[in-house]
Amino acid sequence: MAEIAQTATQRRVGEEFELLLTLFRGVIEAKDFPSACSATLQIVCDFAGWDLGLAWIPLPGEKELTLLTGWHRGNPELAEFVRVCQGRSFSPDVGMPGRVWSRRKPEWTSNLAAEPSDLFPLAPFAAQAGIKAVLNVPVLDGENVLAVLLFYLLEFKEKDPRLIQVVSEVAAQLGFALHHKHTEEQLENNEAKLRQAHEELESRLRERVRQQAAVAQLGERALRGVELFTLMDEATMIVAQTLGVEFCKILELLPDGTALLLRAGVGWKEGLVGQATVGAGTNSQAGYTLLSNEPVIIKDLRTEKRFSGPPLLREHGVVSGVSVIIGRRDRPFGVLGAHTAKPRTFRDDDVHFLEAVANMLSQAIENHNSVEEIRRSASWLERLIDTTQDAVVSIDRRGCVMLFNAAAERVFGYSAREITGRKVNDLMAEPYASEHDQYIERYEKTGEAHAIGRIRTVTAKRKNGELFPIELSVTEIEADDDVHYAAFIRDISETARLHAQLVENERLVAIGTTAAKIGHELANPLNGMSLTIQLLEQRLRKQSKLLDTQITLTVNRLHTEVSRLSTLLEQFRSLSRREKFDFQRTTLTALVGEAIEIEMPRYAELGIQVECSFPSNLPTITVDIDKMKQVIFNLIKNAVEAMAGGGRISIKGSASENSIVLEISDTGTGIPAGIDIFEPFFTTKPQGTGIGLSVVQQIVSAHGGSISYSSEHGKGTTFVITLPQK
């Protein structure tokens, strides 16, 4: 018995070894990974007597299993089952394939029909095909699952641990072989791709060399000084030959910017070059290129949606093309385009080549324009020097005046004729006049500069001997032996005067501060005077029979003047004291409405129409509501007083990116030119105090805003308040 068992064991081992050899031969001889899996299924089914084998593989990302291939014995029902499987996929732990994939362990089912459908989603379809038993094994490469193999039997079969072990060992060996096959297949694919990429790279390098040679050829022609329009003709021919296209053109943007002229080109009908134009808008590829500010490629003009093809291209049967801008994108000369009547995909290298040619042409155009500019620069510079408001004086190495412009004549009082050739020292005050020659001599020897390259404030001398302050900037001109130094001189007498005025204003501020303190001291006496006059009036009324009319008038005038002084004092104190602000969120519409609501009936009685215009989406603002209402009220009050016979007040609100703007306009008499209406105590009204607009400016400034106005005599005034959005 022992000998029989040993013989049976040896036979099984031999059969299993033969199975492995057959598998390895099948895998090695297979042309690709799917073929290797199909061969494996057939060999295992033949060995174990199974009817159907399926191979499931993970999709990229390892989120689902999908069917790779299958093998069966020509059974139509099994073929239908395979077709059903081809439309399915399994996630980890879903169905038998998903569970084996996730757990990396074989699974056997002896009677599939008796199993629950939630564990076996394909069980109903397997029952229709007559499948009874199923064996499922993973094909592993280390920890990675290369495939999940399912073997089906059309009869019930109890679990066979030996068969599971054999198939599992086969799968373990198969994992290495399939991995090798898969790797071999990838290497072959990569090798083919690498070979193709290498060939494409060589082709593109050859083409790139040709393109660079073409650009170099054109650059050489440009350096030789070939006439500009001849260079353009040569450029279009070389581009057409290098890119292998039938048409090439250079379009020049005309001065009005609405059209481009066909300045140079090849392939176009006779007589069009120099005459034909295309639109600069979206009705042409060239116009679209200018608008898009980048290269434009068309694969098929017949189906192009970005722009309509101009007659120039359509009449020549153009299908594909590429165009680039010539010149700076913010100030283009025009467009360089290459076109073909055959469908073609232009590569990046083609675009770069065209851009290189366009850049070369752009440089040639700039050089051409520079030469023309140089030809005009002498007279232009001369006119500039003559018309500039600053004095320009140039001297030679000896310090003698060589150039003296019109502004210098006005500043110094000399004519150019009488000062030219004389020492520049005549224009200087002491000690500069006496030291200037030594300064030039020292600079020529040592290069040590005191005035050159910087702005200095010094004292100059006019022809009449008057001394005055100037700002002096001196530069050295090395290219001209006759004119070696140039001085730019600005008379700052007026600036000095304004500085003195600023000092005076600061003095007035100090006086104002002191006056504010004095005003504080005057408040109580004025209040006392006011009360005394009121008591006096009451007593005089009781003595009406004995009262002299002149005394009554005098007391009334005293009352009026004291009241006026009290009002002026209160306004003055409000201007000088530091205010406290209570900032709140509100809308401009509400702010204006509250400020004018009470006064609207009075405006109507005065024949004044008030119009308000505020966008519905105007943002809210953060302001001191009461103080901003005071601003609006004061401005509208001034507007009303400027329209004695009636008129119209327009109030508008608007918003910019960071600001809210309020405009208040009237149709009144306007504000005289040359006055500062925000100056404290300045007023154009007989009864005005001159404080109101100063307070308005103070409140707006406290909100981080600004106020300005424009006015035309007899036509009205517009105040503009700009407040930050917070």
Side-chain angles (χ1 to χ4, degrees):
M1 291 293 292
E3 293 179 356
I4 294 174
Q6 183 178 6
T7 300
T9 300
Q10 291 175 349
R11 184 173 66 254
R12 285 196 303 271
V13 171
E15 290 173 350
E16 293 168 6
F17 182 73
E18 183 65 29
L19 172 63
L20 285 175
L21 289 178
T22 303
L23 279 172
F24 276 115
R25 281 197 298 268
V27 171
I28 293 172
E29 292 174 357
K31 63 179 181 178
D32 52 29
F33 184 74
S35 301
C37 288
S38 181
T40 298
L41 295 173
Q42 180 179 358
I43 292 170
V44 173
C45 285
D46 286 341
F47 171 79
W50 297 81
D51 299 294
L52 169 64
L54 298 178
W56 298 76
I57 61 170
L59 290 172
E62 298 186 352
K63 292 185 178 180
E64 288 186 326
L65 283 175
T66 185
L67 183 65
L68 175 66
T69 186
W71 180 89
H72 61 86
R73 301 185 184 280
N75 186 313
E77 286 78 9
L78 294 178
E80 177 61 20
F81 179 70
V82 173
R83 188 191 66 78
V84 171
C85 292
Q86 289 173 340
R88 297 299 184 95
S89 60
F90 289 97
S91 301
D93 283 323
V94 177
M96 182 181 284
R99 290 195 301 275
V100 172
W101 176 30
S102 177
R103 300 171 186 177
R104 295 178 172 82
K105 293 181 179 180
E107 187 173 325
W108 180 294
T109 300
S110 300
N111 185 3
L112 186 60
E115 299 294 339
S117 59
D118 57 338
L119 295 177
F120 296 90
L122 294 177
F125 303 101
Q128 293 177 7
I131 296 173
K132 302 296 189 298
V134 183
L135 171 61
N136 194 340
V137 294
V139 178
L140 301 174
D141 175 29
E143 292 296 321
N144 297 323
V145 178
L146 295 180
V148 176
L149 305 182
L150 276 78
F151 299 99
Y152 298 89
L153 194 62
L154 296 178
E155 59 184 33
F156 299 108
K157 185 175 180 64
E158 294 299 328
K159 185 174 182 180
D160 186 345
R162 177 60 185 170
L163 181 58
I164 293 175
Q165 181 182 358
V166 170
V167 176
S168 297
E169 291 176 356
V170 168
Q173 298 298 324
L174 183 62
F176 172 76
L178 288 178
H179 174 75
H180 176 75
K181 189 66 180 179
H182 194 231
T183 303
E184 183 182 71
E185 182 180 346
Q186 288 181 328
L187 288 174
E188 289 177 355
N189 291 337
N190 291 338
E191 183 179 357
K193 291 179 181 178
L194 183 62
R195 185 164 51 251
Q196 181 181 359
H198 181 71
E199 292 173 354
E200 291 178 356
L201 179 60
E202 284 188 344
S203 175
R204 293 183 65 175
L205 285 175
R206 287 192 296 270
E207 184 63 25
R208 189 63 177 156
V209 169
R210 289 182 61 246
Q211 292 175 352
Q212 290 176 343
V215 174
Q217 179 184 351
L218 285 171
E220 182 182 3
R221 295 285 290 161
L223 290 175
R224 290 183 180 179
V226 175
E227 200 273 331
L228 179 60
F229 296 115
T230 300
L231 182 67
M232 290 183 179
D233 290 334
E234 294 179 0
T236 56
M237 289 188 290
I238 290 176
V239 168
Q241 293 170 0
T242 304
L243 292 181
V245 296
E246 306 96 292
F247 308 99
C248 184
K249 68 178 186 296
I250 293 176
L251 295 171
E252 179 183 356
L253 183 64
L254 295 178
D256 62 4
T258 61
L260 298 106
L261 173 67
L262 182 59
R263 176 61 68 185
V266 294
W268 313 103
K269 294 178 182 179
E270 186 176 355
L272 291 181
V273 175
Q275 298 295 326
T277 60
V278 298
T282 55
N283 63 335
S284 70
Q285 180 181 356
Y288 186 82
T289 302
L290 293 176
L291 293 174
S292 60
N293 209 18
E294 61 184 12
V296 174
I297 300 173
I298 52 172
K299 293 183 178 181
D300 193 333
L301 185 62
R302 297 165 296 187
T303 59
E304 181 59 54
K305 301 297 184 184
R306 294 172 294 177
F307 49 83
S308 58
L312 180 66
L313 298 184
R314 295 195 180 277
E315 290 173 1
H316 289 80
V318 168
V319 175
S320 300
V322 58
S323 55
V324 299
I325 296 175
I326 301 173
R328 289 169 45 183
R329 280 172 163 72
D330 60 337
R331 194 175 60 191
F333 170 82
V335 172
L336 171 64
H339 308 276
T340 175
K342 304 172 185 176
R344 172 172 171 176
T345 300
F346 288 92
R347 301 193 305 263
D348 289 343
D349 287 345
D350 300 328
V351 176
H352 295 157
F353 165 64
L354 213 59
E355 287 182 319
V357 174
N359 290 337
M360 185 277 302
L361 288 172
S362 175
Q363 187 62 51
I365 292 168
E366 287 187 9
N367 292 341
H368 172 79
N369 293 338
S370 296
V371 171
E372 294 298 317
E373 188 66 23
I374 290 173
R375 291 174 183 172
R376 298 189 297 268
S377 63
S379 59
W380 175 84
L381 182 59
E382 187 175 333
R383 290 195 303 273
L384 177 64
I385 291 174
D386 282 341
T387 57
T388 183
Q389 296 302 306
D390 288 342
V392 179
V393 179
S394 63
I395 61 175
D396 60 14
R397 294 173 184 266
R398 300 170 299 159
C400 295
V401 175
M402 303 298 296
L403 174 67
F404 203 74
N405 73 340
E409 292 180 330
R410 292 193 301 272
V411 169
F412 289 97
Y414 291 97
S415 68
R417 177 177 297 180
E418 63 182 320
I419 195 65
T420 299
R422 291 170 56 176
K423 285 280 191 174
V424 73
N425 310 51
D426 293 343
L427 307 177
M428 301 177 179
E430 294 296 345
Y432 311 110
S434 301
E435 298 174 353
H436 188 260
D437 289 345
Q438 290 82 1
Y439 172 76
I440 292 180
E441 183 179 353
R442 182 174 64 250
Y443 177 73
E444 294 282 352
K445 290 181 180 179
T446 66
E448 180 184 352
H450 286 178
I452 294 176
R454 67 186 69 177
I455 298 176
R456 302 176 63 198
T457 301
V458 297
T459 304
K461 184 174 68 174
R462 305 189 204 274
K463 181 180 178 179
N464 61 7
E466 178 190 352
L467 301 181
F468 64 102
I470 62 170
E471 281 186 351
L472 174 68
S473 175
V474 180
T475 184
E476 183 179 10
I477 305 174
E478 299 180 355
D480 192 333
D481 290 336
D482 293 331
V483 181
H484 201 68
Y485 301 99
F488 300 88
I489 300 167
R490 177 167 296 176
D491 184 349
I492 58 173
S493 301
E494 180 64 15
T495 303
R497 186 189 67 78
L498 292 175
H499 177 71
Q501 183 178 344
L502 176 61
V503 172
E504 176 65 13
N505 289 342
E506 291 176 349
R507 185 183 68 84
L508 291 175
V509 169
I511 293 174
T513 303
T514 303
K517 295 179 180 179
I518 295 174
H520 178 73
E521 297 298 326
L522 291 176
N524 290 332
L526 278 175
N527 288 334
M529 291 171 63
S530 178
L531 291 173
T532 301
I533 291 172
Q534 291 178 29
L535 291 173
L536 181 59
E537 286 178 328
Q538 292 175 6
R539 291 180 180 179
L540 288 175
R541 281 196 294 270
K542 292 179 180 179
Q543 304 293 330
S544 57
K545 294 181 180 181
L546 303 176
L547 188 62
D548 188 350
T549 304
Q550 186 62 38
I551 294 176
T552 303
L553 292 175
T554 301
V555 172
N556 288 339
R557 282 199 300 271
L558 283 173
H559 191 179
T560 300
E561 289 302 314
V562 169
S563 297
R564 189 179 68 83
L565 287 174
S566 297
T567 301
L568 178 61
L569 181 61
E570 180 59 30
Q571 290 180 340
F572 184 59
R573 291 171 65 186
S574 69
L575 181 64
S576 60
R577 67 174 173 250
R578 186 182 299 275
E579 295 283 357
K580 294 183 179 180
F581 289 83
D582 179 18
F583 291 97
Q584 301 178 45
R585 299 295 292 179
T586 186
T587 64
L588 201 58
T589 307
L591 204 60
V592 172
E594 293 175 10
I596 68 174
E597 181 180 7
I598 297 178
E599 293 293 318
M600 286 296 287
R602 190 172 71 87
Y603 299 156
E605 291 178 1
L606 295 174
I608 295 174
Q609 180 183 359
V610 180
E611 299 175 351
C612 296
S613 175
F614 298 99
S616 59
N617 60 346
L618 203 60
T620 60
I621 53 176
T622 301
V623 297
D624 185 309
I625 295 176
D626 290 336
K627 289 186 171 56
M628 283 308 300
K629 284 164 61 176
Q630 179 184 351
V631 167
I632 296 167
F633 178 81
N634 283 352
L635 292 178
I636 295 179
K637 178 176 176 292
N638 288 344
V640 170
E641 293 174 351
M643 297 184 293
R648 184 178 69 257
I649 297 176
S650 298
I651 307 174
K652 299 179 180 179
S654 62
S656 61
E657 183 177 354
N658 299 310
S659 303
I660 298 292
V661 178
L662 175 65
E663 295 184 19
I664 300 177
S665 303
D666 64 58
T667 57
T669 57
I671 299 172
I675 64 173
D676 183 3
I677 63 172
F678 297 110
E679 175 73 18
F681 308 111
F682 178 85
T683 180
T684 60
K685 296 179 290 186
Q687 301 301 321
T689 63
I691 298 295
L693 287 177
S694 298
V695 173
V696 165
Q697 186 182 48
Q698 188 180 61
I699 293 174
V700 172
S701 297
H703 283 76
S706 63
I707 180 170
S708 61
Y709 73 94
S710 59
S711 184
E712 187 174 353
H713 184 66
K715 294 187 177 180
T717 303
T718 298
F719 280 89
V720 179
I721 298 174
T722 302
L723 297 172
Q725 289 190 29
K726 297 179 180 179

